[in-house]
Amino acid sequence: MIRRIEAVNDFVVKFANVNGSGSASANELFAKAILRMGVPVSPRNIFPSNIQGLPTWYEVRVSEAGWLGRRGGIDMMVAMNPQTWAQDVAEIETGGYLFYDSTRPLPPSAFREDITVIGMPVTAICNATYEDARQRQLFKNIMVLGALSALMDIDASVIEKLFSEQYRGKERLLESNVRALHAGREFARDHLSAPRGAGVGLRVRRAEAVGERIFVDGNTAAALGCVYGGATVCAWYPITPSSSVAEAFQKYCEKFRVDPETGERRYAIVQAEDEIASVGMVTGAGWNGARAFTATSGPGVSLMTEFIGLAYFAEIPLTIINVQRGGPSTGMPTRTQQADILSCAYASHGDTKHVLLFPQDPAECFEMAANALDLADRLQTPIFLMTDLDIGMNQRLCEPFAWDDARAYDRGKVMTAADLEAGKEFARYKDVDGDGIPWRTLPGTHASKGAYFTRGTTRDAYARYSESGADYTYNVQRLLKKFETAATLVPQPVVKPAARKTRLGVLYFGSTAPAMDEALHTLAGDRIPLDAMRLRAFPFPAAVAAFIAAHEQVFVVEQNRDGQLRRLLIDELEVDPARLVPVLHYDGTPITARFIAHAVTEMLHSAAVDPKPVRP
């Protein structure tokens, strides 16, 4: 007797489809319908790097408790791709459910005895209903959606409302989709529901757990943050998974950066011939005083490194949005990783160190994109906004974006014509107040004063060419001082102390955050309390070293093979490597709460580390 999984508003459904089959729209409707019923969802699209033909998956986490990371494990698999059948069936939790197209009979060996199998002859129904091949394919997905909505108590009127929004002004498409939806619902009620059918123990019940949160992807959020942050120039070259940043920026510029009276466009967006040209354009725009950015991924950063070094040494404001993907080299363009940490922190040749910002969700993508433009001007240096495919291309519930209309852009130390006229000394690369940041002028500030050469070669504090060792040493030491100043300006880490004192801590960043939140809850329930710190930027603020020093061992959770953040912590803070325990996930899929909790538990047991709380 199978002990079925029974759950209300707390389960994981995964759709296994073929890329290009039209399934993406129906799968997204499934997630949005549950969201509209007031239940938090967190979908993740795992797709191939071709247009059609290869396997694709869409995983939906449903959690009224509000967990937004991947849990691990699948409660229901909607298996519509014979190519991945064995893999998909193997993922289902014991007591879970398999929903499949039963048009073609399968042998008993294709199934598992510890799951509930629900077959619906979707292809046969569509072939009997529609003559057009494309309609058969598209409406097959909608019929599956209808069947699932009936089996799981998802309100059909919510889906119909979503249809009406999607097909506004296209009544024929609206009506045909509604018919297909109800055809699937009727079949499920007549043939698949208990007691006649197998039934499903996963239910959706209306709730009020979403609140005022919004549902948006990180790339869109970052683009809007650039608009609000004052960016007027974007130069880019298409690369997955970052292309939609520039596309969204263009959409928002057309809305907010066009003079309503004259129609004048107050922005410049250039799709360059390659990444080298794009970063060169952005560097030139930054030198000229415009707020400018480019969006790319790891392979693009590799090509940009010489210009990044120029911008660092010549001290030109520059913002780079790096939506990280699987590596190495050209890597897996549709898989996620956090594997560009070291390459961006030290991008280019020679002694360079760059500011990295680590957003955890779209709300922070918006906030940090705007902040990156301020920091680039304030520090006169390249700033990296380090997102990844999981944040950038997946829709996520997050807090509404906040903006103070009275906020003024931080342009940093820019000397004006009045300053120059008053006789203020202008030395382009001189530290005048101890923070390592010099004064700059913008082109055309004054007819005869404040001009300087912007060099990729060595120079003295007055921008005069020099190969003097003393001049070079002064300059690179000043840049190091500026980097120390940056540690006080970047977003500070967020600490989540355990309920009781503990010898153990954990460091994490970026898209790991939602899975980590749940893992911390699970570990605490297993009597393994951890003090947690979410890093939000590099250089590391002083609080990071203090956190490490306060614990005997600190787990460092990241999504790459080499423990890049851990290496950065060891090198920059001169930490004993034995204190930092790596927890690494790098298969290209977003990390799960179960993976983190299991890895920490196993390491503690194998190392015989006492996880019990320290008595106050």
Side-chain angles (χ1 to χ4, degrees):
M1 182 72 177
I2 300 172
R3 185 172 182 180
R4 305 190 316 167
I5 295 174
E6 305 279 342
V8 177
N9 294 350
D10 184 16
F11 51 84
V12 178
V13 177
K14 189 171 186 178
F15 297 83
N17 300 103
V18 175
N19 202 34
S21 64
S23 60
S25 177
N27 296 343
E28 187 174 303
L29 284 167
F30 174 84
K32 286 186 174 180
I34 298 173
L35 183 66
R36 292 283 181 94
M37 291 179 67
V39 183
V41 298
S42 183
R44 282 172 172 81
N45 192 9
I46 303 169
F47 58 100
S49 56
N50 73 338
I51 296 174
Q52 62 181 16
L54 289 183
T56 183
W57 294 270
Y58 189 82
E59 183 177 308
V60 182
R61 176 75 186 277
V62 180
S63 172
E64 187 174 351
W67 302 123
L68 298 178
R70 291 182 73 216
R71 185 197 68 187
I74 305 300
D75 299 315
M76 173 184 278
M77 178 68 72
V78 182
M80 294 293 165
N81 186 1
Q83 183 181 350
T84 60
W85 177 270
Q87 169 188 340
D88 297 331
V89 172
E91 283 191 60
I92 304 170
E93 298 277 278
T94 296
Y97 304 86
L98 170 66
F99 184 103
Y100 79 108
D101 182 354
S102 59
T103 299
R104 295 180 62 183
L106 294 174
S109 59
F111 304 103
R112 287 168 43 189
E113 294 183 355
D114 61 343
I115 61 175
T116 298
V117 178
I118 304 168
M120 176 177 174
V122 190
T123 300
I125 296 171
C126 286
N127 288 346
T129 308
Y130 304 102
E131 294 184 1
D132 181 76
R134 185 59 177 165
Q135 283 187 329
R136 287 174 174 175
Q137 181 62 57
L138 294 177
F139 291 130
K140 180 167 92 170
N141 299 313
I142 301 302
M143 284 189 182
V144 170
L145 173 62
L148 294 176
S149 70
L151 292 170
M152 304 172 75
D153 292 342
I154 300 172
D155 191 338
S157 67
V158 173
I159 304 175
E160 291 177 18
K161 181 70 163 53
L162 289 167
F163 281 149
S164 68
E165 295 170 6
Q166 182 173 341
Y167 298 116
R168 186 174 290 115
K170 302 175 181 177
E171 278 65 32
R172 260 174 52 183
L173 288 174
L174 172 60
E175 293 169 5
S176 57
N177 276 274
V178 170
R179 282 198 305 271
L181 175 76
H182 283 282
R185 287 179 63 85
E186 290 167 9
F187 186 92
R189 281 197 300 262
D190 294 342
H191 303 283
L192 305 180
S193 300
R196 180 176 177 179
V200 172
L202 309 178
R203 292 283 186 269
V204 179
R205 181 177 59 204
R206 283 191 177 272
E208 298 293 336
V210 174
E212 298 299 316
R213 285 180 291 178
I214 61 176
F215 198 52
V216 66
D217 65 86
N219 283 357
T220 297
L224 189 59
C226 287
V227 172
Y228 273 76
T232 56
V233 176
C234 169
W236 66 294
Y237 184 76
I239 181 172
T240 301
S242 72
S243 295
S244 59
V245 175
E247 293 164 354
F249 182 71
Q250 180 171 345
K251 179 184 70 175
Y252 288 123
C253 282
E254 290 170 351
K255 183 175 182 180
F256 297 118
R257 291 252 190 277
V258 177
D259 189 298
E261 296 181 0
T262 66
E264 178 186 3
R265 297 176 182 270
R266 296 174 175 173
Y267 62 90
I269 301 174
V270 182
Q271 182 176 322
E273 61 267 33
D274 55 33
E275 288 90 349
I276 299 172
S278 66
V279 73
M281 293 174 187
V282 171
T283 302
W287 171 85
N288 202 45
R291 289 199 153 186
F293 77 94
T294 187
T296 189
S297 193
V301 172
S302 297
L303 292 170
M304 294 177 179
T305 51
E306 189 167 7
F307 263 116
I308 292 169
L310 171 64
Y312 173 83
F313 192 74
E315 296 176 73
I316 298 171
L318 167 63
T319 296
I320 300 171
I321 299 174
N322 180 3
V323 188
Q324 299 168 89
R325 69 190 207 185
S329 187
T330 53
M332 299 186 291
T334 58
R335 299 294 188 264
T336 192
Q337 277 190 1
Q338 297 172 320
D340 296 345
I341 306 303
L342 290 175
S343 63
C344 290
Y346 303 123
S348 200
H349 49 275
D351 292 320
T352 55
K353 289 186 180 183
H354 303 296
V355 175
L356 314 180
L357 306 182
F358 304 127
Q360 70 164 342
D361 63 10
E364 286 197 344
C365 285
F366 172 82
E367 172 192 338
M368 290 188 182
N371 289 346
L373 295 162
D374 269 352
L375 286 168
D377 271 350
R378 175 79 177 271
L379 295 166
Q380 302 173 31
T381 197
I383 306 291
F384 286 85
L385 181 64
M386 303 291 290
T387 77
D388 56 36
L389 185 147
D390 184 26
I391 299 176
M393 295 192 71
N394 288 317
Q395 292 179 306
R396 189 81 56 82
L397 266 181
C398 66
E399 293 302 315
F401 303 157
W403 187 261
D404 182 358
D405 288 333
R407 172 175 169 172
Y409 299 141
D410 185 351
R411 300 309 302 262
K413 295 180 178 178
V414 179
M415 197 168 288
T416 65
D419 293 331
L420 295 168
E421 278 294 322
K424 189 173 182 179
E425 181 193 35
F426 176 66
R428 176 64 184 98
Y429 297 110
K430 185 177 181 180
D431 184 4
V432 297
D433 54 13
D435 65 1
I437 306 171
W439 285 84
R440 64 172 173 146
T441 57
L442 301 180
T445 294
H446 193 281
S448 59
K449 300 176 181 178
Y452 65 94
F453 281 104
T454 302
R455 300 180 182 277
T457 52
T458 52
R459 70 296 170 115
D460 66 10
Y462 293 87
R464 297 175 300 205
Y465 179 81
S466 171
E467 294 187 16
S468 163
D471 287 336
Y472 177 79
T473 301
Y474 169 82
N475 197 54
V476 295
Q477 284 298 120
R478 180 183 57 77
L479 290 169
L480 195 59
K481 179 64 177 177
K482 181 166 71 170
F483 197 69
E484 294 170 359
T485 298
T488 67
L489 300 176
V490 297
Q492 299 298 295
V494 176
V495 177
K496 295 183 177 182
R500 300 184 65 182
K501 289 186 178 180
T502 175
R503 300 182 179 94
L504 304 174
V506 61
L507 293 168
Y508 62 102
F509 67 100
S511 64
T512 301
M516 176 59 71
D517 290 341
E518 186 175 4
L520 289 170
H521 176 80
T522 300
L523 289 165
D526 292 339
R527 302 177 64 83
I528 304 177
L530 297 177
D531 290 331
M533 173 178 275
R534 177 168 67 88
L535 302 181
R536 302 177 73 211
F538 173 73
F540 303 121
V544 179
F547 180 88
I548 296 171
H551 297 87
E552 289 182 10
Q553 283 198 312
V554 178
F555 297 98
V556 184
V557 183
E558 49 188 312
Q559 298 180 64
N560 58 69
R561 184 198 68 183
D562 294 335
Q564 295 186 22
L565 179 68
R566 178 176 177 271
R567 289 189 181 192
L568 205 57
L569 289 162
I570 292 168
D571 290 345
E572 294 293 325
L573 301 181
E574 298 182 351
V575 178
D576 178 2
R579 296 174 72 94
L580 300 180
V581 182
V583 177
L584 307 176
H585 183 276
Y586 47 89
D587 68 359
T589 63
I591 196 168
T592 69
R594 288 182 180 178
F595 174 89
I596 298 170
H598 177 75
V600 169
T601 302
E602 287 296 303
M603 288 180 185
L604 288 175
H605 289 167
S606 63
V609 175
D610 183 6
K612 295 180 181 178
V614 175
R615 295 190 181 277

